[in-house]
Amino acid sequence: MMLESVETGNPARKESEPMSQVMVKDLRKSFKIDGMQINAVDDANLTVEKGEFISIVGHSGSGKTTLLSMIGAIVRPTSGNLYFEGRDIFSLNDDSLSEYRAAKIGYIFQFASLIPVLTAKENLLLPTIFAPDGNPGEIEKRALDYLEFVGLKDKINAYPYQLSGGQQRRVAIARALMNNPELLLADEPTGDLDEETEAEVMEFFRKVNRDMKITFILVTHNTALAETAGRRFRMSGGKLNEMS
């Protein structure tokens, strides 16, 4: 099987378009598989206001992770545009995209993905290498503050193997906050957790959104989790539709 990405240019933004914190315009990601074009994301449109909590639900292969990867500027689209606070993100070069990701976006993945040889505090300090903000003393205080925020101030020197699954996920949440992002993206963040731990993690997501006013986009296959969001979307066959 031969897989290749299909890339085209992005049209310029019209000056008359309104500004939301996040605006997805006709975003598409296509691949060619054995000569056949597959639209993993097919002309998706979405606007997200600052401080919103939205969810995108869909089965495996529906395109939701690909869409989230484009919103997070990890994957470039085949066509369409992504605006963040009015800025056309994919008009940036790779270096500027990296700066945008480090400064504006926090990522929470399906697995905690903590570095096993680093303590909880050291795992939090890791992303600040890419977007240093403040002197070392201020950065370390921020790490301690975020560990306290997620209820793990007493675990600053603990290694991942010394933490429960829920505690590891809370460290991952704190790590995602370290560069003071304006947008948090969570991709199936509770898929490997039991119901009790899942509820605990979801409560922390709501706390981050409510108390810190950080915009939150959650991707999940779990309909019950998706229903806890302020607005809900369903993705199927690359198509994105808002749910009533």
Side-chain angles (χ1 to χ4, degrees):
M1 179 182 294
M2 184 176 180
L3 176 67
E4 64 178 290
S5 175
V6 179
E7 301 291 349
T8 66
N10 293 310
R13 178 175 181 263
K14 296 178 181 179
E15 292 300 324
S16 59
E17 290 177 350
M19 183 187 298
S20 296
Q21 186 181 36
V22 178
M23 182 180 291
V24 172
K25 295 284 290 182
D26 301 322
L27 212 57
R28 175 179 291 191
K29 185 65 178 179
S30 299
F31 299 93
K32 280 187 177 179
I33 301 177
D34 294 336
M36 181 180 296
Q37 181 167 306
I38 304 297
N39 296 325
V41 175
D42 193 358
D43 292 336
N45 288 278
L46 173 69
T47 58
V48 185
E49 305 304 325
K50 185 173 177 60
E52 274 199 288
F53 191 131
I54 75 164
S55 63
I56 301 173
V57 67
H59 297 299
S60 178
S62 63
K64 60 189 188 299
T65 293
T66 302
L67 176 61
L68 198 72
S69 296
M70 288 191 287
I71 293 173
I74 296 173
V75 173
R76 285 185 180 270
T78 300
S79 60
N81 298 79
L82 169 70
Y83 303 104
F84 187 88
E85 296 176 344
R87 189 180 191 186
D88 187 349
I89 296 306
F90 289 114
S91 68
L92 303 175
N93 61 32
D94 288 343
D95 287 343
S96 296
L97 266 183
S98 296
E99 293 174 4
Y100 161 76
R101 286 192 297 266
K104 301 292 186 179
I105 310 293
Y107 300 91
I108 303 169
F109 301 103
Q110 180 173 357
F111 304 102
S113 301
L114 302 180
I115 306 301
V117 297
L118 300 181
T119 65
K121 183 181 75 173
E122 290 167 342
N123 267 282
L124 262 66
L125 293 175
L126 193 60
T128 65
I129 296 172
F130 306 101
D133 181 16
N135 63 49
E138 291 172 343
I139 293 172
E140 183 161 336
K141 181 180 184 302
R142 193 191 317 157
L144 297 179
D145 288 344
Y146 280 132
L147 283 172
E148 182 175 14
F149 178 76
V150 298
L152 292 175
K153 191 174 183 179
D154 61 332
K155 300 292 185 181
I156 59 172
N157 294 316
Y159 290 92
Y161 76 89
Q162 297 172 312
L163 302 172
S164 69
Q167 289 173 332
Q168 288 185 32
R169 202 55 52 96
R170 281 190 270 161
V171 172
I173 294 169
R175 181 181 59 188
L177 296 171
M178 272 300 292
N179 286 338
N180 297 317
E182 298 179 32
L183 173 65
L184 275 177
L185 305 177
D187 186 7
E188 298 283 7
T190 64
D192 62 328
L193 302 178
D194 58 63
E195 288 187 9
E196 181 178 351
T197 307
E198 179 180 77
E200 171 190 323
V201 170
M202 286 301 298
E203 180 53 37
F204 274 105
F205 289 163
R206 286 187 284 270
K207 179 180 174 68
V208 168
N209 174 249
R210 181 184 63 245
D211 295 354
M212 301 181 70
K213 311 300 183 188
I214 295 176
T215 308
F216 207 106
I217 301 178
L218 167 71
V219 159
T220 180
H221 67 276
N222 188 321
T223 303
L225 288 185
E227 289 177 351
T228 65
R231 283 197 299 148
R232 303 174 302 281
F233 294 81
R234 181 175 296 280
M235 197 138 194
S236 179
K239 293 288 188 180
L240 182 69
N241 293 290
E242 188 162 6
M243 300 166 64
S244 57

